[in-house]
Amino acid sequence: MKPLSPKTLERKYAELGLSKAKIDLLRNYFLCFANLYGMLEVREAWDVFKHYEGNKIRKKDFIAFSGIVQREPDLPFSVLELNEVFTDEPAGKPDMRLIVNNDLIGLGYGKYEQIYRLSDMAVDKPLWLPDSKDELFEFHIDRFYLSEEGKKMAEFLSDLKSDGVFKMHGGKTAEIRDIEDNPVKGKRLSDFVFYTHLEQFEIDYYKSESKKETLRQLFKETALKKLMDYIRMNLQIGNHFYNSVADDLDYTLKFMEEELGVTLTEKQLEQFIELYTNLNNRSHLWQNCGWKPDDLFRATNSGMPKSVSIGANLQNLFDSGELDRDEFEEGLRKMGIELIQ
């Protein structure tokens, strides 16, 4: 929906009849919901709100607020109508509006693809409720890389350097150059800004120069930021209905090598796998409705798959000796996961 003008928003909030303090409280809750859960229906959000706030606000006002705040511009979350995302759903279900983290919303035809993936992954999992409102409100910012595990991963990634070579299908290669057309070979990922193949494809796809420039500015991030975002979204959403945990790790390694020119040494690979596993298991994940996988597994015995298969590239690492299969398998075994062919 198109945003409303400040004057119109002010009038609608006045008609709602809630004090500014209550409106600010609701806006803060919605922001924390988006950061902790990724996506949450308004009716579920009401249950969480009531758990902490009791009857401070009536349910009908809570729902009405969701219909106004969805028209506010420049918020880090969006409120989407259910039938806007799932077109086979009927209109007129305000309590089933979706509070969505903006990072889940893409561009063009597939703009809601990540929402669909998250919806599949989170189905039938209980919501994690922090012990207190103060703990919930810590999620007014994204906390993914603020945990001990997140900081260790960020530190590891910040030391990685690019060999300056794109690796493409069929054995083809190309030089990686930054947005100012300088070679990036030997530079840390934090020290250059460039466009990945997919980003450049999207830029080239549009004929409109204004649209191209919009995308250039959107994709204008360091290689380190792109990699951190890739890992964060991959773990937050997951795709284990179609891929194993090992496959997700495999795809991340491919992204690093093919798009960023990062080939890990044996020692770095062992470090990365440990960091990746710990970051996954000890993070509050959207695909787990806010639960850490370790905690969800203990609470429901269903937070993790019982078995995984290995992808072709991971198998190549085993065959070449770059990765010790026994150690990798033992790590999975400690999590109660069986490695199968």
Side-chain angles (χ1 to χ4, degrees):
M1 292 188 179
K2 291 184 178 180
L4 297 175
S5 68
K7 185 175 181 180
T8 302
L9 284 169
E10 183 179 359
R11 174 174 57 80
K12 285 187 173 292
Y13 279 128
E15 292 171 351
L16 182 60
L18 296 177
S19 66
K20 182 180 183 302
K22 288 184 176 180
I23 289 172
D24 289 342
L25 178 68
L26 287 174
R27 194 180 286 110
N28 197 21
Y29 264 102
F30 275 45
L31 173 59
C32 293
F33 293 153
N35 284 333
L36 175 56
Y37 301 119
M39 176 177 67
L40 193 65
E41 289 186 6
V42 167
R43 60 182 180 178
E44 295 175 306
W46 163 252
D47 289 336
V48 179
F49 177 85
K50 190 175 181 181
H51 173 79
Y52 295 110
E53 301 292 345
N55 296 315
K56 181 176 287 188
I57 292 174
R58 294 176 297 181
K59 183 176 182 178
K60 73 179 188 68
D61 292 334
F62 186 92
I63 295 173
F65 168 82
S66 73
I68 301 174
V69 76
Q70 72 177 165
R71 308 294 296 275
E72 281 196 46
D74 303 322
L75 293 176
F77 64 88
S78 298
V79 179
L80 306 175
E81 297 294 335
L82 184 65
N83 69 316
E84 180 182 354
V85 179
F86 299 96
T87 55
D88 57 339
E89 291 284 347
K93 292 185 175 182
D95 65 330
M96 294 178 69
R97 290 179 180 128
L98 301 174
I99 303 167
V100 178
N101 189 295
N102 284 347
D103 288 344
L104 287 167
I105 302 175
L107 300 170
Y109 178 78
K111 66 184 298 184
Y112 297 137
E113 179 181 349
Q114 295 196 102
I115 293 180
Y116 302 145
R117 284 177 55 193
L118 179 57
S119 179
D120 286 342
M121 289 302 303
V123 68
D124 294 332
K125 294 176 182 175
L127 288 179
W128 177 71
L129 295 177
D131 290 335
S132 67
K133 181 173 75 173
D134 288 342
E135 187 177 0
L136 173 65
F137 277 10
E138 290 179 1
F139 289 88
H140 72 284
I141 57 174
D142 180 77
R143 305 196 60 79
F144 190 77
Y145 284 107
L146 297 181
S147 65
E148 180 181 349
E149 293 75 23
K151 290 177 181 177
K152 288 180 179 179
M153 174 63 87
E155 183 179 3
F156 174 84
L157 298 178
S158 66
D159 283 336
L160 296 180
K161 295 181 179 180
S162 174
D163 63 15
V165 180
F166 282 122
K167 284 84 172 177
M168 296 175 284
H169 295 297
K172 295 181 179 179
T173 61
E175 185 180 27
I176 302 176
R177 304 183 75 86
D178 65 20
I179 61 173
E180 296 178 350
D181 202 32
N182 299 309
V184 306
K185 182 178 180 179
K187 291 185 177 180
R188 283 187 169 85
L189 300 185
S190 59
D191 292 339
F192 65 92
V193 175
F194 84 120
Y195 301 131
T196 67
H197 278 106
L198 179 59
E199 290 169 346
Q200 190 62 57
F201 174 82
E202 292 192 41
I203 292 170
D204 295 340
Y205 175 80
Y206 292 95
K207 294 181 179 180
S208 167
E209 185 55 38
S210 62
K211 183 64 175 179
K212 289 178 181 289
E213 184 58 27
T214 297
L215 292 177
R216 291 188 191 106
Q217 294 303 314
L218 179 65
F219 299 147
K220 194 176 181 180
E221 301 283 1
T222 66
L224 177 62
K225 177 68 163 52
K226 293 179 194 294
L227 178 55
M228 291 178 68
D229 286 348
Y230 184 95
I231 292 172
R232 169 176 167 259
M233 294 305 292
N234 196 41
L235 293 182
Q236 284 284 29
I237 301 174
N239 199 15
H240 303 156
F241 283 156
Y242 309 104
N243 304 318
S244 71
V245 178
D247 282 330
D248 288 341
L249 174 60
D250 194 30
Y251 292 141
T252 301
L253 292 171
K254 285 180 62 178
F255 175 77
M256 293 167 66
E257 183 173 7
E258 295 177 1
E259 291 287 353
L260 308 181
V262 174
T263 302
L264 301 179
T265 65
E266 182 177 351
K267 182 178 179 180
Q268 286 176 324
L269 183 60
E270 292 175 355
Q271 288 179 294
F272 180 72
I273 290 173
E274 181 178 3
L275 290 169
Y276 188 94
T277 302
N278 289 340
L279 183 60
N280 176 77
N281 293 345
R282 300 169 191 171
S283 296
H284 293 283
L285 299 182
W286 299 343
Q287 62 170 302
N288 288 338
C289 297
W291 287 86
K292 297 178 181 179
D294 280 353
D295 293 341
L296 180 61
F297 181 73
R298 285 191 289 267
T300 67
N301 201 34
S302 62
M304 302 179 72
K306 297 186 183 300
S307 64
V308 299
S309 59
I310 58 176
N313 287 295
L314 206 54
Q315 182 63 57
N316 289 336
L317 294 175
F318 291 147
D319 293 341
S320 67
E322 293 181 66
L323 182 61
D324 188 288
R325 176 171 179 144
D326 290 338
E327 291 182 4
F328 184 78
E329 192 167 357
E330 177 62 22
L332 291 179
R333 190 179 297 114
K334 288 178 180 179
M335 296 184 285
I337 302 173
E338 179 187 4
L339 185 65
I340 59 176
Q341 288 295 135

